Amino acid sequence: MKQILFILSFLIVSYGCNKSPENVSEEKKEDLKVNEFAIIIHGGAGTILKKNMSDEKEAAYKAKLEEAIKVGHTILKNGGTSQEAVMKTIQVMEESPLFNAGKGAVFTNAGTNELDASFMDGKTLNAGAVAGVKDVKSPIELAIKVMTDSEHVMLSGEGASTFAKEKGLEIVDPSYFFTESRFNSLQRIKEKEKTELDHDAKAAFYDADIKDSKFGTVGCVALDKNGNIAAGTSTGGMTNKRWGRIGDAPIIGSGTYANNVTCGVSSTGWGEYFIRSQVAYDISAQMEYQQKTLKEATKDVIQNKLTKLGGTGGVVALDKNGNMSFEFNTEGMYRASMDDKGELIIKIYKE
Ligand code: ASP
């Protein structure tokens, strides 16, 4: 009897100890609210190496990432919604020629810019997306409009533009999206393409070219003071795309996902693999059904599942408690995060 009492009291005491915050393991800490609000962004992943980057270029990227994230952070700090924070943050990057979204989008094989974007609201699981849009200044704003002002989730091409006009969104001449560096990238790829002869060599060339590219898509995930998570992604897709190719960025569950119960995710990388892996939803599903932490889920999906399939890229993600995660299997990813204390992290390369 004495022995049983001893074991019982030991169990009670050790349970009590485990409950005190200093004894909570790293993983369990993810169960606690670490940030009342938070924001995380990316400006694309890829072969981004320090040796290929000038100091000026690096400074320009960092400055733009800082400018963008601070716009969203201020909105959240003042009690604004995660939806507004995500939209306004992404718009700063869409308007910058540095990123492959909005102005600065990559060129299609036909020499046009075709833009994709998506948005998801973690509270209602409502979502909106657009694909192949050629004349709408802010594709992320249009994606949100599709969510709020139509009964659909995804619109494409001309129809999406007509909807944008009807809703009074800013329409621009397609030349607005032109940047010389992106145009030159297309010419380089086309030149190389001509020199490849057989089908296998061509396939190898495409693989190498894609693996080598800097994807440059932009994305943002935010948690607001009301506990609502929102996620958005905007891109020009991949250089030299043709036949109306659509990547993962406008696909809910691949490029973007948000659920207040789990997390929000925005992806960047080789879109075909992100679609096949359902990257963004898989991260949320692992948290929901396997009780994984955000870090565990993002790591498994990117470093294990996506990598095994041959996909390259990464995600930014944030959970309901304000934990944040950058995860990528490329050389670098333009990325930044900011928590409720105002701590700002901006990084480009692998550590
Ligand atoms: N994921 C995008 C796409 O495949 C590209 C990128 O992330 O830059 O269209």
Side-chain angles (χ1 to χ4, degrees), residues 42-45 100-101 106 114 116 210 213-218 233-239 241 245-250 255 267-275 312-314:
H42 69 76
N100 171 21
V106 297
E114 293 179 4
D116 304 332
I210 288 172
S213 59
K214 297 146 201 76
F215 296 110
T217 289
V218 306
T233 310
S234 181
T235 189
M238 290 173 96
T239 308
K241 64 183 182 181
R245 180 265 187 191
I246 295 165
D248 61 314
S267 314
T268 176
W270 193 343
E272 279 68 11
Y273 288 88
F274 279 70
I275 294 173
T312 49

mmCIF file of all heavy atoms in Angstrom, residues 42-45 100-101 106 114 116 210 213-218 233-239 241 245-250 255 267-275 312-314, ligand 1:
data_model
loop_
_atom_site.group_PDB
_atom_site.id
_atom_site.type_symbol
_atom_site.label_atom_id
_atom_site.label_comp_id
_atom_site.label_asym_id
_atom_site.label_seq_id
_atom_site.Cartn_x
_atom_site.Cartn_y
_atom_site.Cartn_z
ATOM 1 N N HIS A 42 7.730 35.830 -47.997
ATOM 2 C CA HIS A 42 8.837 35.391 -48.853
ATOM 3 C C HIS A 42 8.783 36.161 -50.164
ATOM 4 O O HIS A 42 7.741 36.691 -50.549
ATOM 5 C CB HIS A 42 8.805 33.882 -49.110
ATOM 6 C CG HIS A 42 7.661 33.426 -49.975
ATOM 7 N ND1 HIS A 42 7.638 33.595 -51.342
ATOM 8 C CD2 HIS A 42 6.491 32.816 -49.659
ATOM 9 C CE1 HIS A 42 6.528 33.093 -51.824
ATOM 10 N NE2 HIS A 42 5.801 32.623 -50.828
ATOM 11 N N GLY A 43 9.956 36.220 -50.800
ATOM 12 C CA GLY A 43 10.056 36.876 -52.115
ATOM 13 C C GLY A 43 10.645 35.909 -53.120
ATOM 14 O O GLY A 43 11.327 36.300 -54.052
ATOM 15 N N GLY A 44 10.386 34.608 -52.877
ATOM 16 C CA GLY A 44 10.846 33.584 -53.811
ATOM 17 C C GLY A 44 12.048 32.821 -53.315
ATOM 18 O O GLY A 44 12.843 33.329 -52.527
ATOM 19 N N ALA A 45 12.147 31.573 -53.781
ATOM 20 C CA ALA A 45 13.281 30.712 -53.424
ATOM 21 C C ALA A 45 14.023 30.346 -54.700
ATOM 22 O O ALA A 45 13.536 30.579 -55.791
ATOM 23 C CB ALA A 45 12.766 29.448 -52.742
ATOM 24 N N ASN A 100 9.199 38.458 -58.876
ATOM 25 C CA ASN A 100 8.425 37.879 -59.965
ATOM 26 C C ASN A 100 6.942 37.866 -59.599
ATOM 27 O O ASN A 100 6.333 36.824 -59.379
ATOM 28 C CB ASN A 100 8.954 36.462 -60.237
ATOM 29 C CG ASN A 100 8.075 35.690 -61.191
ATOM 30 O OD1 ASN A 100 7.312 36.271 -61.956
ATOM 31 N ND2 ASN A 100 8.185 34.363 -61.146
ATOM 32 N N ALA A 101 6.377 39.061 -59.507
ATOM 33 C CA ALA A 101 4.959 39.219 -59.186
ATOM 34 C C ALA A 101 4.586 40.642 -59.568
ATOM 35 O O ALA A 101 5.358 41.563 -59.307
ATOM 36 C CB ALA A 101 4.712 39.014 -57.703
ATOM 37 N N VAL A 106 7.885 37.383 -64.679
ATOM 38 C CA VAL A 106 8.636 36.731 -65.754
ATOM 39 C C VAL A 106 7.788 36.691 -67.031
ATOM 40 O O VAL A 106 6.572 36.884 -66.993
ATOM 41 C CB VAL A 106 9.062 35.295 -65.359
ATOM 42 C CG1 VAL A 106 9.991 35.325 -64.169
ATOM 43 C CG2 VAL A 106 7.844 34.416 -65.102
ATOM 44 N N GLU A 114 1.808 36.744 -67.664
ATOM 45 C CA GLU A 114 0.521 36.177 -67.233
ATOM 46 C C GLU A 114 0.602 35.890 -65.734
ATOM 47 O O GLU A 114 1.423 35.092 -65.291
ATOM 48 C CB GLU A 114 0.229 34.884 -68.010
ATOM 49 C CG GLU A 114 0.000 35.178 -69.491
ATOM 50 C CD GLU A 114 -0.275 33.928 -70.324
ATOM 51 O OE1 GLU A 114 -0.374 32.829 -69.760
ATOM 52 O OE2 GLU A 114 -0.366 34.091 -71.552
ATOM 53 N N ASP A 116 -0.611 35.044 -61.760
ATOM 54 C CA ASP A 116 -1.451 34.163 -60.940
ATOM 55 C C ASP A 116 -1.396 34.643 -59.481
ATOM 56 O O ASP A 116 -0.343 35.101 -59.033
ATOM 57 C CB ASP A 116 -0.897 32.733 -60.920
ATOM 58 C CG ASP A 116 -0.727 32.121 -62.310
ATOM 59 O OD1 ASP A 116 -1.460 32.504 -63.227
ATOM 60 O OD2 ASP A 116 0.151 31.233 -62.443
ATOM 61 N N ILE A 210 15.306 25.111 -64.807
ATOM 62 C CA ILE A 210 14.339 25.366 -63.747
ATOM 63 C C ILE A 210 15.019 25.272 -62.376
ATOM 64 O O ILE A 210 14.829 26.112 -61.513
ATOM 65 C CB ILE A 210 13.151 24.380 -63.842
ATOM 66 C CG1 ILE A 210 12.277 24.756 -65.047
ATOM 67 C CG2 ILE A 210 12.314 24.432 -62.573
ATOM 68 C CD1 ILE A 210 11.199 23.781 -65.368
ATOM 69 N N SER A 213 16.881 28.337 -61.567
ATOM 70 C CA SER A 213 16.227 29.647 -61.584
ATOM 71 C C SER A 213 15.929 30.155 -60.178
ATOM 72 O O SER A 213 15.869 29.405 -59.216
ATOM 73 C CB SER A 213 14.948 29.580 -62.405
ATOM 74 O OG SER A 213 14.118 28.632 -61.842
ATOM 75 N N LYS A 214 15.746 31.465 -60.141
ATOM 76 C CA LYS A 214 15.356 32.095 -58.887
ATOM 77 C C LYS A 214 13.879 32.370 -59.049
ATOM 78 O O LYS A 214 13.501 33.179 -59.869
ATOM 79 C CB LYS A 214 16.151 33.393 -58.691
ATOM 80 C CG LYS A 214 17.618 33.145 -58.575
ATOM 81 C CD LYS A 214 18.437 34.266 -59.177
ATOM 82 C CE LYS A 214 19.828 33.816 -59.510
ATOM 83 N NZ LYS A 214 19.898 32.986 -60.747
ATOM 84 N N PHE A 215 13.069 31.672 -58.289
ATOM 85 C CA PHE A 215 11.650 31.701 -58.618
ATOM 86 C C PHE A 215 11.003 33.074 -58.427
ATOM 87 O O PHE A 215 10.262 33.503 -59.277
ATOM 88 C CB PHE A 215 10.933 30.602 -57.846
ATOM 89 C CG PHE A 215 11.387 29.220 -58.243
ATOM 90 C CD1 PHE A 215 12.139 28.425 -57.407
ATOM 91 C CD2 PHE A 215 11.071 28.716 -59.487
ATOM 92 C CE1 PHE A 215 12.558 27.150 -57.781
ATOM 93 C CE2 PHE A 215 11.489 27.449 -59.888
ATOM 94 C CZ PHE A 215 12.241 26.665 -59.026
ATOM 95 N N GLY A 216 11.277 33.722 -57.300
ATOM 96 C CA GLY A 216 10.841 35.131 -57.168
ATOM 97 C C GLY A 216 9.384 35.451 -56.899
ATOM 98 O O GLY A 216 8.990 36.611 -56.846
ATOM 99 N N THR A 217 8.584 34.407 -56.719
ATOM 100 C CA THR A 217 7.183 34.611 -56.325
ATOM 101 C C THR A 217 7.142 35.326 -54.967
ATOM 102 O O THR A 217 8.086 35.215 -54.194
ATOM 103 C CB THR A 217 6.514 33.227 -56.207
ATOM 104 O OG1 THR A 217 6.367 32.707 -57.511
ATOM 105 C CG2 THR A 217 5.178 33.258 -55.512
ATOM 106 N N VAL A 218 6.039 35.997 -54.658
ATOM 107 C CA VAL A 218 5.933 36.611 -53.330
ATOM 108 C C VAL A 218 4.754 36.013 -52.553
ATOM 109 O O VAL A 218 3.779 35.563 -53.148
ATOM 110 C CB VAL A 218 5.777 38.158 -53.412
ATOM 111 C CG1 VAL A 218 6.896 38.760 -54.220
ATOM 112 C CG2 VAL A 218 4.421 38.559 -53.941
ATOM 113 N N THR A 233 -0.527 34.554 -52.019
ATOM 114 C CA THR A 233 0.639 34.317 -52.870
ATOM 115 C C THR A 233 0.379 34.995 -54.215
ATOM 116 O O THR A 233 -0.759 34.996 -54.696
ATOM 117 C CB THR A 233 0.844 32.794 -53.087
ATOM 118 O OG1 THR A 233 0.818 32.142 -51.814
ATOM 119 C CG2 THR A 233 2.160 32.487 -53.792
ATOM 120 N N SER A 234 1.427 35.575 -54.809
ATOM 121 C CA SER A 234 1.259 36.248 -56.107
ATOM 122 C C SER A 234 2.508 36.004 -56.950
ATOM 123 O O SER A 234 3.631 36.078 -56.449
ATOM 124 C CB SER A 234 1.051 37.751 -55.878
ATOM 125 O OG SER A 234 0.859 38.425 -57.094
ATOM 126 N N THR A 235 2.318 35.723 -58.249
ATOM 127 C CA THR A 235 3.467 35.364 -59.086
ATOM 128 C C THR A 235 3.241 35.633 -60.574
ATOM 129 O O THR A 235 2.092 35.765 -61.018
ATOM 130 C CB THR A 235 3.778 33.848 -58.925
ATOM 131 O OG1 THR A 235 5.010 33.553 -59.559
ATOM 132 C CG2 THR A 235 2.704 32.987 -59.537
ATOM 133 N N GLY A 236 4.350 35.669 -61.281
ATOM 134 C CA GLY A 236 4.288 35.690 -62.750
ATOM 135 C C GLY A 236 4.474 34.288 -63.294
ATOM 136 O O GLY A 236 4.456 34.060 -64.496
ATOM 137 N N GLY A 237 4.714 33.326 -62.390
ATOM 138 C CA GLY A 237 4.879 31.927 -62.804
ATOM 139 C C GLY A 237 6.318 31.626 -63.171
ATOM 140 O O GLY A 237 7.230 32.089 -62.497
ATOM 141 N N MET A 238 6.523 30.870 -64.239
ATOM 142 C CA MET A 238 7.877 30.489 -64.631
ATOM 143 C C MET A 238 8.218 30.987 -66.030
ATOM 144 O O MET A 238 7.387 30.914 -66.949
ATOM 145 C CB MET A 238 8.044 28.976 -64.534
ATOM 146 C CG MET A 238 8.036 28.547 -63.065
ATOM 147 S SD MET A 238 8.021 26.792 -62.821
ATOM 148 C CE MET A 238 9.745 26.508 -62.590
ATOM 149 N N THR A 239 9.454 31.474 -66.169
ATOM 150 C CA THR A 239 9.914 32.019 -67.450
ATOM 151 C C THR A 239 9.707 30.990 -68.565
ATOM 152 O O THR A 239 9.954 29.808 -68.363
ATOM 153 C CB THR A 239 11.423 32.358 -67.365
ATOM 154 O OG1 THR A 239 11.626 33.179 -66.227
ATOM 155 C CG2 THR A 239 11.900 33.082 -68.614
ATOM 156 N N LYS A 241 7.014 29.940 -69.876
ATOM 157 C CA LYS A 241 5.848 29.054 -69.773
ATOM 158 C C LYS A 241 4.999 29.222 -71.035
ATOM 159 O O LYS A 241 4.996 30.290 -71.648
ATOM 160 C CB LYS A 241 5.046 29.344 -68.497
ATOM 161 C CG LYS A 241 4.402 30.730 -68.412
ATOM 162 C CD LYS A 241 3.699 30.933 -67.062
ATOM 163 C CE LYS A 241 3.014 32.286 -67.000
ATOM 164 N NZ LYS A 241 2.343 32.547 -65.711
ATOM 165 N N ARG A 245 0.099 27.616 -69.251
ATOM 166 C CA ARG A 245 0.555 26.902 -68.045
ATOM 167 C C ARG A 245 0.174 27.670 -66.769
ATOM 168 O O ARG A 245 0.338 28.879 -66.680
ATOM 169 C CB ARG A 245 2.079 26.727 -68.118
ATOM 170 C CG ARG A 245 2.701 25.987 -66.926
ATOM 171 C CD ARG A 245 3.215 26.943 -65.870
ATOM 172 N NE ARG A 245 3.945 26.249 -64.805
ATOM 173 C CZ ARG A 245 4.311 26.815 -63.664
ATOM 174 N NH1 ARG A 245 4.023 28.075 -63.434
ATOM 175 N NH2 ARG A 245 4.971 26.146 -62.754
ATOM 176 N N ILE A 246 -0.328 26.942 -65.803
ATOM 177 C CA ILE A 246 -0.651 27.534 -64.496
ATOM 178 C C ILE A 246 0.104 26.752 -63.420
ATOM 179 O O ILE A 246 0.090 25.519 -63.430
ATOM 180 C CB ILE A 246 -2.180 27.478 -64.236
ATOM 181 C CG1 ILE A 246 -2.913 28.359 -65.263
ATOM 182 C CG2 ILE A 246 -2.503 27.936 -62.816
ATOM 183 C CD1 ILE A 246 -4.392 28.116 -65.328
ATOM 184 N N GLY A 247 0.751 27.474 -62.532
ATOM 185 C CA GLY A 247 1.536 26.815 -61.474
ATOM 186 C C GLY A 247 0.735 26.611 -60.206
ATOM 187 O O GLY A 247 -0.501 26.584 -60.228
ATOM 188 N N ASP A 248 1.437 26.499 -59.118
ATOM 189 C CA ASP A 248 0.798 26.221 -57.833
ATOM 190 C C ASP A 248 0.257 27.466 -57.145
ATOM 191 O O ASP A 248 -0.645 27.372 -56.305
ATOM 192 C CB ASP A 248 1.809 25.563 -56.875
ATOM 193 C CG ASP A 248 3.000 26.486 -56.618
ATOM 194 O OD1 ASP A 248 3.527 27.058 -57.588
ATOM 195 O OD2 ASP A 248 3.390 26.654 -55.442
ATOM 196 N N ALA A 249 0.825 28.640 -57.488
ATOM 197 C CA ALA A 249 0.501 29.858 -56.728
ATOM 198 C C ALA A 249 -1.005 30.137 -56.626
ATOM 199 O O ALA A 249 -1.479 30.537 -55.552
ATOM 200 C CB ALA A 249 1.249 31.054 -57.302
ATOM 201 N N PRO A 250 -1.779 29.921 -57.699
ATOM 202 C CA PRO A 250 -3.219 30.174 -57.541
ATOM 203 C C PRO A 250 -4.012 28.947 -57.103
ATOM 204 O O PRO A 250 -5.244 28.996 -57.063
ATOM 205 C CB PRO A 250 -3.633 30.601 -58.962
ATOM 206 C CG PRO A 250 -2.735 29.815 -59.847
ATOM 207 C CD PRO A 250 -1.430 29.632 -59.105
ATOM 208 N N GLY A 255 -0.264 26.318 -53.390
ATOM 209 C CA GLY A 255 0.489 27.557 -53.208
ATOM 210 C C GLY A 255 0.093 28.321 -51.967
ATOM 211 O O GLY A 255 0.903 29.059 -51.387
ATOM 212 N N SER A 267 3.604 29.231 -50.555
ATOM 213 C CA SER A 267 4.701 28.464 -51.170
ATOM 214 C C SER A 267 5.399 29.234 -52.275
ATOM 215 O O SER A 267 4.825 30.148 -52.875
ATOM 216 C CB SER A 267 4.152 27.184 -51.818
ATOM 217 O OG SER A 267 3.260 26.507 -51.000
ATOM 218 N N THR A 268 6.611 28.804 -52.577
ATOM 219 C CA THR A 268 7.314 29.273 -53.770
ATOM 220 C C THR A 268 8.257 28.178 -54.238
ATOM 221 O O THR A 268 8.897 27.509 -53.430
ATOM 222 C CB THR A 268 8.103 30.572 -53.512
ATOM 223 O OG1 THR A 268 8.826 30.886 -54.711
ATOM 224 C CG2 THR A 268 9.083 30.467 -52.363
ATOM 225 N N GLY A 269 8.324 28.006 -55.542
ATOM 226 C CA GLY A 269 9.203 26.965 -56.065
ATOM 227 C C GLY A 269 8.673 26.414 -57.368
ATOM 228 O O GLY A 269 7.870 27.065 -58.049
ATOM 229 N N TRP A 270 9.117 25.237 -57.687
ATOM 230 C CA TRP A 270 8.767 24.592 -58.951
ATOM 231 C C TRP A 270 7.319 24.114 -58.837
ATOM 232 O O TRP A 270 7.054 23.057 -58.269
ATOM 233 C CB TRP A 270 9.728 23.441 -59.185
ATOM 234 C CG TRP A 270 9.723 22.861 -60.534
ATOM 235 C CD1 TRP A 270 8.771 22.991 -61.498
ATOM 236 C CD2 TRP A 270 10.728 22.001 -61.093
ATOM 237 N NE1 TRP A 270 9.122 22.290 -62.616
ATOM 238 C CE2 TRP A 270 10.313 21.666 -62.395
ATOM 239 C CE3 TRP A 270 11.923 21.482 -60.603
ATOM 240 C CZ2 TRP A 270 11.069 20.831 -63.218
ATOM 241 C CZ3 TRP A 270 12.666 20.651 -61.425
ATOM 242 C CH2 TRP A 270 12.246 20.334 -62.715
ATOM 243 N N GLY A 271 6.408 24.910 -59.383
ATOM 244 C CA GLY A 271 4.982 24.760 -59.145
ATOM 245 C C GLY A 271 4.400 23.380 -59.387
ATOM 246 O O GLY A 271 3.525 22.928 -58.643
ATOM 247 N N GLU A 272 4.866 22.709 -60.430
ATOM 248 C CA GLU A 272 4.292 21.409 -60.770
ATOM 249 C C GLU A 272 4.413 20.446 -59.582
ATOM 250 O O GLU A 272 3.487 19.690 -59.273
ATOM 251 C CB GLU A 272 4.997 20.828 -62.004
ATOM 252 C CG GLU A 272 4.491 21.379 -63.339
ATOM 253 C CD GLU A 272 4.816 22.856 -63.582
ATOM 254 O OE1 GLU A 272 5.615 23.437 -62.827
ATOM 255 O OE2 GLU A 272 4.243 23.436 -64.536
ATOM 256 N N TYR A 273 5.558 20.486 -58.916
ATOM 257 C CA TYR A 273 5.780 19.596 -57.766
ATOM 258 C C TYR A 273 4.941 20.012 -56.564
ATOM 259 O O TYR A 273 4.503 19.172 -55.782
ATOM 260 C CB TYR A 273 7.270 19.578 -57.384
ATOM 261 C CG TYR A 273 8.093 18.833 -58.407
ATOM 262 C CD1 TYR A 273 8.610 19.490 -59.521
ATOM 263 C CD2 TYR A 273 8.312 17.470 -58.275
ATOM 264 C CE1 TYR A 273 9.343 18.808 -60.482
ATOM 265 C CE2 TYR A 273 9.039 16.781 -59.225
ATOM 266 C CZ TYR A 273 9.551 17.457 -60.325
ATOM 267 O OH TYR A 273 10.264 16.767 -61.268
ATOM 268 N N PHE A 274 4.735 21.323 -56.430
ATOM 269 C CA PHE A 274 3.930 21.805 -55.299
ATOM 270 C C PHE A 274 2.457 21.423 -55.485
ATOM 271 O O PHE A 274 1.749 21.184 -54.510
ATOM 272 C CB PHE A 274 4.089 23.324 -55.132
ATOM 273 C CG PHE A 274 5.349 23.697 -54.397
ATOM 274 C CD1 PHE A 274 6.593 23.534 -54.975
ATOM 275 C CD2 PHE A 274 5.298 24.191 -53.101
ATOM 276 C CE1 PHE A 274 7.760 23.864 -54.291
ATOM 277 C CE2 PHE A 274 6.454 24.527 -52.401
ATOM 278 C CZ PHE A 274 7.690 24.360 -53.006
ATOM 279 N N ILE A 275 2.039 21.361 -56.758
ATOM 280 C CA ILE A 275 0.654 20.933 -57.007
ATOM 281 C C ILE A 275 0.531 19.444 -56.691
ATOM 282 O O ILE A 275 -0.378 19.007 -55.975
ATOM 283 C CB ILE A 275 0.249 21.195 -58.480
ATOM 284 C CG1 ILE A 275 0.216 22.691 -58.776
ATOM 285 C CG2 ILE A 275 -1.112 20.560 -58.774
ATOM 286 C CD1 ILE A 275 -0.008 23.045 -60.245
ATOM 287 N N THR A 312 11.730 21.512 -55.955
ATOM 288 C CA THR A 312 12.574 22.484 -55.254
ATOM 289 C C THR A 312 11.752 23.721 -54.897
ATOM 290 O O THR A 312 10.869 24.130 -55.651
ATOM 291 C CB THR A 312 13.770 22.921 -56.127
ATOM 292 O OG1 THR A 312 13.268 23.272 -57.417
ATOM 293 C CG2 THR A 312 14.797 21.830 -56.271
ATOM 294 N N GLY A 313 12.097 24.305 -53.752
ATOM 295 C CA GLY A 313 11.402 25.519 -53.328
ATOM 296 C C GLY A 313 11.243 25.566 -51.832
ATOM 297 O O GLY A 313 12.003 24.916 -51.103
ATOM 298 N N GLY A 314 10.269 26.321 -51.383
ATOM 299 C CA GLY A 314 10.083 26.440 -49.941
ATOM 300 C C GLY A 314 8.752 27.065 -49.575
ATOM 301 O O GLY A 314 7.925 27.374 -50.446
HETATM 302 N N1 ASP B 1 5.641 28.540 -57.823
HETATM 303 C C1 ASP B 1 5.642 29.410 -58.957
HETATM 304 C C2 ASP B 1 5.133 28.696 -60.159
HETATM 305 O O1 ASP B 1 5.434 27.525 -60.330
HETATM 306 C C3 ASP B 1 6.973 29.955 -59.256
HETATM 307 C C4 ASP B 1 7.665 30.629 -58.114
HETATM 308 O O2 ASP B 1 7.501 30.233 -56.968
HETATM 309 O O3 ASP B 1 8.381 31.606 -58.345
HETATM 310 O O4 ASP B 1 4.480 29.292 -60.961
#
